Amino acid sequence: MKRRTNTQRRPRPKLPRIPEEMRQWSDLLLREILGWPDVSSRPMFGMTAVYRGDAIFGVLPRTRAMDTPYSISFKIPRRNPSLKKRLEDNPRILPSTRDAKWISLELQSGNNLPDAIRWFAQAYRLTAKAGET
């Protein structure tokens, strides 16, 4: 197996720094998510990854975010038409991620935290179904 040389490597994605307000929202979300069955967390690239068992289903910013300074990200590997429509209809879902496995949701205020929890819960449930097949 050949190793990639420096010229063949993909550029690292730019992970934007987050403001203190976003750090507080992430802490609140993490506390909620860690209360769910079989959930654990690990630090990853300035974020906190959340797992159900061995499967990752989301990341919360700690010092860096995936897309924007106010975004959280969760994994939706497959979608039914209803879920696809919900993603398309939510104005805070970043358009560039709507068709990707990793979806980013922009938080505009603390009032958006319940919506963020619902999306993480959806990713959590889909992670369980993926592990059952």
Side-chain angles (χ1 to χ4, degrees), residues 31-39 57 117-118 120-122 124:
R31 273 190 246 145
E32 169 69 24
I33 293 167
L34 287 175
W36 299 347
D38 200 26
V39 172
F57 68 92
I117 290 169
R118 282 190 291 276
F120 271 95
Q122 179 74 55
Y124 173 85

Side-chain angles (χ1 to χ4, degrees), residues 99-118:
D99 293 325
K101 282 184 183 179
W102 281 94
I103 309 295
S104 288
L105 175 73
E106 185 87 18
L107 300 182
Q108 297 166 339
S109 75
N111 293 335
N112 298 147
L113 296 179
D115 192 32
I117 290 169
R118 282 190 291 276

Side-chain angles (χ1 to χ4, degrees), residues 38-105:
D38 200 26
V39 172
S40 62
S41 67
R42 296 181 203 136
M44 178 176 37
F45 310 116
M47 294 173 271
T48 301
V50 288
Y51 295 81
R52 182 172 190 175
D54 293 333
I56 188 170
F57 68 92
V59 291
L60 293 162
R62 200 167 22 100
T63 58
R64 304 255 180 202
M66 281 181 80
D67 290 296
T68 70
Y70 283 93
S71 67
I72 58 165
S73 300
F74 47 90
K75 189 175 181 182
I76 305 277
R78 57 189 191 287
R79 347 180 128 82
N80 60 33
S82 168
L83 183 55
K84 188 171 180 150
K85 177 133 178 61
R86 279 183 50 217
L87 287 166
E88 290 169 357
D89 290 348
N90 190 320
R92 289 191 319 278
I93 296 289
L94 297 182
S96 61
T97 67
R98 281 192 182 124
D99 293 325
K101 282 184 183 179
W102 281 94
I103 309 295
S104 288
L105 175 73

Side-chain angles (χ1 to χ4, degrees), residues 22-32 60-62:
M22 186 62 190
R23 188 171 294 127
Q24 292 170 2
W25 295 342
S26 289
D27 287 344
L28 290 170
L29 289 169
L30 182 60
R31 273 190 246 145
E32 169 69 24
L60 293 162
R62 200 167 22 100

